[in-house]
Every structure is written in structure tokens, then in C-alpha cells.
Amino acid sequence: MKKINELCQGLGLGEDEFLCYGNDKAKVLRGPEVKKDSKLILVTAINPTPYGEGKTTVSIGLDDALCSLGVSSMAVLREPSLGPVFGLKGGATGGGMASVVPSSDIDLHFTGDFHAISAANNLLCAAVDNHIFQGNSLGIDPSTVCVKRCLDMNDRSLRKDFNITAASEVMAIFCLATDFNDLRRRLGNILIGYTEDKKPLYAKDLKVDGAMSLLLKDAIHPNLVQTLEENPVLIHGGPFANIAHGCNSILATKTALSLSDYVVTEAGFGSDLGAEKFLNIKCPVAGISPSFIVLVVTVRALLHSGNDNLLAHIDHLRHYNVPFCVAINQFSDDKEEELQELSSFCQDHGVISFITTSFVDGGCGSVSLARYILENADSSHFKPLYSDSLTIHEKIDLITQQVYHASSVDYSDAARNKLEEIEQLGISHFPVCMAKTPYSISDDKNKLGYPKDYTISVRDILIQTGSQMIVVLLNNIITMPGLPKIPNYEEME
């Protein structure tokens, strides 16, 4: 590895524009000023198996390939959560020769960002409880308190009162804030509950938002590390795409766009989750547009869910007027006839595909994909799926019809009450963050392939006035995962 200060200097950062964490990690302190001609490439996928299909590996390999072609490029990724690291899915630093280092540091405590986010969230919860205990001068109705503590761990015994940190509103705020002042403002606007006469109360009413932002003053700066091929990578923020918006921080993305000509980023799980939220939440908030989209697919996943699942994601991405292609992430046991069949399927549906072998070959395994992107990244006419002017009900209908291909939506009584509450608060212009299973385009993990004409079930709706999102909980989705029968931690030492 290059020493981190050499990497910073190679990016043109002055000595006062980065802060080293040892010899291999740094915080970038320079504020982002996006280059007008920078290109943003989104890497997404079909519905994955529980182990994932290699979006991060493809993203890193593509970034290394662009750099090998002499292009100024940088990858921007999310920080891994300890929940999946110790559970089933594992870390988030890529794989094989398409990896980010120091991987063990990144996968564990890294620079402490998740701890700071957990602490800020839990300080708010403690402040609410303390205010009620100390006389409750604001008149908080305890039955309306709507903030939960969080922990960066899979622990099913805590589901009633805890979220995993990646699903907390503070994490969403951390990733959607455009600068530190915006972070402070959003923290103060977190809805904590209501008075007996239905007046909404916010974190700023407890005067706790200053202390919360103080806990995040260092964490808010993006983290700089490098690939095995010594190319710079920013890793910052880590919301899950099935229960949150699934994208790295706006600050990291815009910082990368200010430091390089091409930026490769990924959004969690399939295009029905991370990409949908990247395109309809993150891009409008940040004022950025994708130039190209890469849809990752594996033979393994299609053997599980069928070729129709790939078609479902192709049909979804066509809504945005952004050029895209399919990247076939090759595994060592893939058969040649399976790869050719998959390529032919893409061609039959009017989409070009490329086989990528970056796990084995690093950047060299994605050169053809990189060259195609360089030739086609100037033809984007990006347009989000919906506008702010639609009601929350209309936005939910549009997503369920256009992305999930459902024919109707069934709302629980609790969800209908929340829709009324949203109207009363005057926040119908907020975007919608759908929370559902990642293993199907529907809300039922057993509906594989390309399900159509079914009913989506909205169990509940979470109002996030700080992150300025409406989180819609579908079917039996949970915001505190549990550990599997054989967790990853059994193999760690």
C-alpha cells in the first residue's frame, strides 16, 4: 500500500485538507466543489442471494480498470456494519484482486463513524427519557415517543426498542446532509413525539441537537483508503438498502466528484431497492445525476430466481433515461454455456453485456466494461421516477406499480393513520424510502423471478422529519436483524 499521506498528496490535497488515521486511513477535510464535467457511474444488481452478487467487487474492479486506462477515477462505497460482518453476508471491501485495504480495519471499527452515529442517536433517546423523568416541562406524551435506540449489531432480542445503527434516522441524516450546517439542522428536526394536545416536538426542543452534532463533527468527513492497485477510494456512511436508503454519504460522493473525472459508486441490494432510492432520493437531494448505470448479474443468482428477474430490473432501469449495461460477474464454477446463454438473453432484450473477472484479474478483468462506459457516459438524460408534488400515497402507488409491478396496495390501520399524520405535518413533499425484502422485487421473499399483478402490504410508516424521508415498512420487514444459525464470527480469531 501507498502511505496514506502520499495518496492524499496525489489527489492534490494540502496538509490542512486531510487528517491521517495511522499510515493507511485518512479523513478528507476539503469541502466538495463538484467539477461540472465529472461523470457519476452507479453500480446496482438484480435481486441477490443472501451472500450478495458482487456489486462492491465489480465497483472496485471497474474503478481500477478506468484508472488503468489513464482516467482520473475514484470509487465511493459504504462503510460495512458489524451486523453482517459477524452474521452472514460478511464485510464490504470487495473480494479477491478487486478489494479495498486495509480490509480488516474497514470491516471492523474503521475510523469510528458508526460508533459516533450510535452515540448521537442514543444521546437523543436518553435526553427524551430524562426530560420526562425530570418533570416533563415540554409536556411530552410518553405514548407518542417515536425515537428508538440503536446498536451496530444483529440482535433479535432487542427488536422491540432498538434499530440496527444502519437503519437509524441519524444514519440517514449523516448520509443525506450536504454539509455540517445541514447536518446540525436535520438533527434538530428529528420528530421525537407529541404533546397531549397533539403538538409535534423535535430534538431541537430538548436542546440536544448541538451535542449530537458535536459527536459527529469528525465522523462527518469522508474516509480515504485505497484499492489493491493503489487507487484512492472514499468509504463513508452505511445505511442498508432494504431498511434504509442504501447509499454512501452525499458528502463523500460530491467530494469524489470534486477530486476526479469519473466516480464509481454502488447502491445496496437490487435495483428495486438501492438504485431506486439512489435515483429518487439521493440524486434529487444532492443535485447530482448519474451518467451511466451498471447492472450486475451472476449465473448463481439467475439459477435461483430465473432470467425473468434480470428482465424485471432491465425494465425498471429503462424508466430513468440513463444509459446502462449488464455486467456478468463471473464465478470460477460458471459454465461457458451458462455465460453465453446469459449474454444472449441480454442481447435478445436490447441490452449489451460484459463478462467481468475482476475478482481474479483486478482492473484488467473489467477493461472492456470500462471502455464501453467511457464511450457512452455522455448520453444520459436522467429524470427521477416521481416529483415532490405528488402525495405520499401517489408516490407509493407509482413505485409499487412501476418498480415492483404490483396491481394494488393494502394499508394497515396504523399505516393509514400515519398517512393522515403526514398530511397534518405538511411533509407530503418528502421522498419515499421503501423497506422490504431484498430477495424479490415484491414484498414476499418467496415470489422469485418477475412477479406481477399482486397486492403489496404496507404494515407501517415511519416519519423522519430530520432525514426528510418517509420510510414505508412492507409486509414483515424488520429494522433489527438477527444472527444466522452459523454466524461468521465462529470462523474469526
Side-chain angles (χ1 to χ4, degrees):
M1 290 186 288
K2 285 183 181 177
K3 288 188 175 181
I4 198 66
N5 61 330
E6 296 177 9
L7 203 67
C8 291
Q9 291 162 3
L11 289 170
L13 297 173
E15 290 186 1
D16 60 345
E17 293 181 315
F18 63 92
L19 176 65
C20 293
Y21 281 58
N23 290 321
D24 50 15
K25 302 177 288 292
K27 288 280 188 182
V28 177
L29 309 182
R30 179 195 283 184
E33 294 181 5
V34 179
K35 297 178 182 178
K36 289 183 179 180
D37 56 350
S38 294
K39 303 291 191 300
L40 180 59
I41 303 161
L42 171 65
V43 178
T44 184
I46 63 169
N47 291 109
T49 64
Y51 295 95
E53 304 316 309
K55 285 192 309 298
T56 306
T57 300
V58 171
S59 298
I60 296 165
L62 173 58
D63 178 58
D64 282 337
L66 288 166
C67 290
S68 74
L69 294 172
V71 174
S72 168
S73 179
M74 182 180 288
V76 189
L77 309 171
R78 290 170 297 158
E79 299 179 50
S81 161
L82 292 179
V85 167
F86 291 127
L88 178 65
K89 195 174 180 187
T93 55
M97 296 305 295
S99 296
V100 179
V101 287
S103 57
S104 59
D105 286 3
I106 297 167
D107 283 338
L108 297 176
H109 302 287
F110 202 16
T111 57
D113 293 348
F114 272 48
H115 301 308
I117 291 166
S118 300
N121 179 94
N122 295 340
L123 173 62
L124 174 60
C125 294
V128 173
D129 291 348
N130 183 62
H131 183 86
I132 294 171
F133 177 81
Q134 300 290 356
N136 198 9
S137 61
L138 289 173
I140 301 172
D141 179 354
S143 69
T144 68
V145 172
C146 53
V147 289
K148 283 186 174 184
R149 288 168 172 78
C150 70
L151 182 74
D152 187 31
M153 197 66 64
N154 288 5
D155 191 344
R156 60 176 54 84
S157 68
L158 298 178
R159 282 177 181 166
K160 181 180 177 182
D161 300 310
F162 277 70
N163 293 318
I164 193 167
T165 298
S168 68
E169 184 172 2
V170 176
M171 174 64 82
I173 289 171
F174 184 86
C175 290
L176 290 170
T178 54
D179 56 34
F180 186 78
N181 291 331
D182 187 38
L183 174 81
R184 168 69 184 270
R185 179 185 64 82
R186 287 172 178 265
L187 291 171
N189 287 337
I190 295 176
L191 181 70
I192 61 172
Y194 292 84
T195 63
E196 294 285 355
D197 57 357
K198 308 302 182 186
K199 176 188 174 185
L201 293 169
Y202 302 93
K204 59 189 174 187
D205 295 319
L206 293 173
K207 300 179 180 177
V208 69
D209 48 321
M212 293 171 70
S213 58
L214 181 62
L215 285 168
L216 298 172
K217 70 177 180 65
D218 295 324
I220 194 65
H221 298 296
N223 306 294
L224 178 68
V225 287
Q226 61 192 294
T227 70
L228 287 176
E229 298 183 16
E230 298 184 343
N231 296 313
V233 178
L234 290 179
I235 301 183
H236 199 225
F240 295 164
N242 60 331
I243 50 180
H245 73 288
C247 306
N248 65 270
S249 75
I250 285 175
L251 276 171
T253 300
K254 297 185 84 167
T255 297
L257 287 167
S258 73
L259 294 172
S260 59
D261 295 331
Y262 284 80
V263 172
V264 181
T265 191
E266 47 85 40
F269 289 117
S271 80
D272 56 319
L273 284 171
E276 185 271 306
K277 296 166 187 178
F278 177 92
L279 297 164
N280 295 311
I281 298 176
K282 179 175 177 176
C283 284
V285 171
I288 56 178
S289 299
S291 299
F292 199 92
I293 300 173
V294 177
L295 179 62
V296 177
V297 62
T298 63
V299 169
R300 176 183 66 179
L302 290 182
L303 288 174
H304 175 69
S305 58
N307 286 351
D308 278 356
N309 187 248
L310 172 56
L311 182 58
H313 293 278
I314 289 173
D315 287 347
H316 169 217
L317 293 180
R318 283 182 167 138
H319 287 297
Y320 300 97
N321 298 315
V322 178
F324 70 93
C325 71
V326 168
I328 303 171
N329 184 22
Q330 183 173 352
F331 281 53
S332 59
D333 57 352
D334 289 345
K335 296 180 176 63
E336 184 63 31
E337 57 267 27
E338 293 172 330
L339 295 170
Q340 289 303 318
E341 180 184 343
L342 182 48
S343 296
S344 297
F345 181 86
C346 294
Q347 185 175 359
D348 290 345
H349 290 89
V351 181
I352 192 168
S353 64
F354 296 89
I355 294 175
T356 65
T357 60
S358 288
F359 184 92
V360 174
D361 300 318
C364 294
S366 293
V367 169
S368 296
L369 173 63
R371 286 194 172 121
Y372 183 79
I373 291 170
L374 292 176
E375 293 168 0
N376 292 275
D378 288 319
S379 57
S380 176
H381 300 283
F382 169 64
K383 184 180 179 181
L385 191 64
Y386 57 79
S387 67
D388 290 346
S389 61
L390 297 182
T391 67
I392 298 301
H393 195 292
E394 290 170 333
K395 291 169 187 171
I396 293 172
D397 280 348
L398 198 57
I399 293 172
T400 55
Q401 292 166 11
Q402 300 293 333
V403 184
Y404 309 154
H405 298 276
S407 55
S408 60
V409 182
D410 179 50
Y411 291 88
S412 69
D413 290 340
R416 291 186 183 280
N417 290 338
K418 290 292 180 63
L419 288 174
E420 293 179 7
E421 187 178 339
I422 289 166
E423 290 291 332
Q424 292 167 1
L425 289 169
I427 54 174
S428 290
H429 59 285
F430 285 2
V432 169
C433 180
M434 306 293 271
K436 72 174 186 71
T437 177
Y439 304 121
S440 169
I441 64 167
S442 75
D443 61 343
D444 180 351
K445 67 179 182 180
N446 296 314
K447 285 189 171 83
L448 302 179
Y450 196 161
K452 298 179 181 179
D453 301 325
Y454 59 95
T455 298
I456 287 279
S457 298
V458 177
R459 187 180 87 249
D460 202 357
I461 295 174
L462 307 179
I463 298 171
Q464 294 190 355
T465 50
S467 69
Q468 298 181 352
M469 293 192 309
I470 302 301
V471 181
V472 181
L473 303 178
L474 302 185
N475 207 332
N476 57 0
I477 191 70
I478 53 176
T479 56
M480 170 54 85
L483 290 165
K485 187 173 183 178
I486 304 177
N488 287 336
Y489 63 70
E490 292 186 6
E491 300 298 321
M492 295 182 184
E493 189 55 74

